[in-house]
Amino acid sequence: MAELQPYIGNYYLWRYLPSIPAAVIFAILFLVATGAHGFRLYKTRLWFCLPFVVGGIMEVIGYCARAAAHDRTGDLIPYIIQNILILLPPVLFAASIYMVLGRIIRAVHGESYSLIRVNILTKVFVAGDVISFFVQGGGAGIMASGGNAETGEKIIVGGLILQIIMFGLFIITAIIFQTRYQKNKVAAPTYDAMGWRMSMYMLYAVSALIMIRNIFRTAEFGDGQNGYLLSHEWTVYVFDAVLMLAVMVIFVVWYPSNLKQSPEPQWMHSDGTDVNLAEQGQNAGLYERFDNANYSASVSK
């Protein structure tokens, strides 16, 4: 029967025996989800969604390493692999999520309603994501070495806090854009056919799940090696594995393949002259109905 083995002296990498059935089940589930993402990516050629495939592969390998560690709790390699490859995928997922918002804004011609200029919006959030990736990766590497676990935990917590801040700013930016756009953009209903609102709701859902997971991980590492969260395996599956699997499933079901930029609607009086912005705001209902009819006709052609 397997039992906990020390890594060096009285230092233990694990506080429990990793469950083989749980690890294998989630490795299979993540493999299926990753296959679905790979198929979607192949069909749509939306390369900004590639991080989901890479992150999914990392999750699969990570949970396979957890299963392998069941009988090798004193070995460093399985511990390092599972620690890093399960910790980092949400950072990759976030990169794709950030890029979706920029595509939505451009697709519906809502650049003027974005809190951050669209041409730098994705760069700002992805840059924060990259920094968080390397900070967490560095902390995980230090922690996995076994000699400076406390230092590694603090570094990981710093990277997680940075990601939480970036996600918070991202969600605020997304909400402000949607609120402004729906309130002021006369042509907003004309883009409903592309499902931009559903894409926004998808972003909110996956962002909230990753935020919850990051808060859990921050509490877990902040609590230390002997804390309850790091000492009980069920917390990893409930607050990380399940949530990240849900993120992959939600994203692949509501894949952002419909976000293609459409021509800006043209508003005109019956005499052929342009309608100014003030008139558009005052007569929103009339122009929305007019433009919806024209947009539907153009789509049917």
Side-chain angles (χ1 to χ4, degrees):
M1 176 178 284
E3 59 182 28
L4 279 179
Q5 305 163 359
Y7 170 55
I8 297 177
N10 291 322
Y11 180 79
Y12 289 82
L13 297 171
W14 299 85
R15 296 296 181 269
Y16 51 79
L17 282 175
S19 169
I20 292 178
V24 170
I25 288 171
F26 275 93
I28 293 172
L29 291 174
F30 275 110
L31 181 62
V32 173
T34 303
H37 274 273
F39 177 75
R40 283 279 208 174
L41 184 66
Y42 172 76
K43 296 290 288 186
T44 62
R45 298 295 196 273
L46 295 177
W47 301 115
F48 71 92
C49 295
L50 179 62
F52 264 93
V53 176
V54 176
I57 293 172
M58 291 171 68
E59 295 274 16
V60 173
I61 298 174
Y63 284 102
C64 286
R66 282 186 75 90
H70 177 81
D71 298 311
R72 302 169 57 191
T73 51
D75 291 354
L76 186 61
I77 297 302
Y79 180 78
I80 291 176
I81 293 174
Q82 67 84 32
N83 195 37
I84 294 177
L85 297 189
I86 293 176
L87 178 67
L88 296 180
V91 185
L92 297 177
F93 300 160
S96 290
I97 292 167
Y98 294 149
M99 287 185 269
V100 170
L101 179 60
R103 291 206 162 216
I104 291 174
I105 294 173
R106 287 192 174 93
V108 299
H109 299 281
E111 290 87 346
S112 61
Y113 303 102
S114 176
L115 186 65
I116 302 174
R117 291 204 316 271
V118 180
N119 60 334
I120 65 169
L121 183 148
T122 299
K123 296 175 184 176
V124 168
F125 289 113
V126 171
D129 208 45
V130 170
I131 294 173
S132 175
F133 181 92
F134 284 109
V135 171
Q136 291 182 55
I142 293 173
M143 186 177 172
S145 67
N148 299 288
E150 187 175 344
T151 301
E153 289 170 355
K154 291 179 180 178
I155 293 174
I156 290 173
V157 168
L160 288 167
I161 290 174
L162 174 60
Q163 193 177 8
I164 289 172
I165 292 172
M166 295 305 294
F167 251 113
L169 293 174
F170 172 76
I171 293 172
I172 291 171
T173 300
I175 291 173
I176 289 176
F177 159 71
Q178 185 172 7
T179 302
R180 285 178 175 178
Y181 186 78
Q182 292 183 156
K183 181 179 179 181
N184 301 303
K185 182 73 170 180
V186 175
T190 68
Y191 299 109
D192 284 350
M194 71 173 62
W196 71 276
R197 283 190 178 88
M198 184 55 70
S199 293
M200 291 296 297
Y201 298 145
M202 179 271 288
L203 289 187
Y204 297 143
V206 295
S207 296
L209 291 173
I210 294 179
M211 180 76 82
I212 293 170
R213 178 265 184 191
N214 286 345
I215 292 173
F216 156 70
R217 281 294 195 174
T218 301
E220 178 188 43
F221 288 111
D223 202 25
Q225 284 286 85
N226 296 316
Y228 179 87
L229 298 178
L230 271 175
S231 302
H232 293 79
E233 187 174 24
W234 71 267
T235 60
V236 174
Y237 287 100
V238 172
F239 295 109
D240 194 319
V242 171
L243 298 187
M244 292 308 95
L245 182 63
V247 166
M248 293 193 71
V249 171
I250 290 172
F251 196 92
V252 80
V253 171
W254 287 280
Y255 212 66
S257 55
N258 55 333
L259 300 176
K260 296 179 180 179
Q261 194 167 27
S262 302
E264 180 73 57
Q266 297 298 313
W267 307 93
M268 303 182 71
H269 288 296
S270 58
D271 61 3
T273 59
D274 290 340
V275 175
N276 62 46
L277 295 177
E279 288 179 299
Q280 291 181 23
Q282 294 169 2
N283 302 284
L286 173 61
Y287 291 116
E288 285 169 7
R289 289 192 298 272
F290 171 78
D291 191 71
N292 267 316
N294 283 295
Y295 182 76
S296 299
S298 64
V299 169
S300 64
K301 291 178 181 178

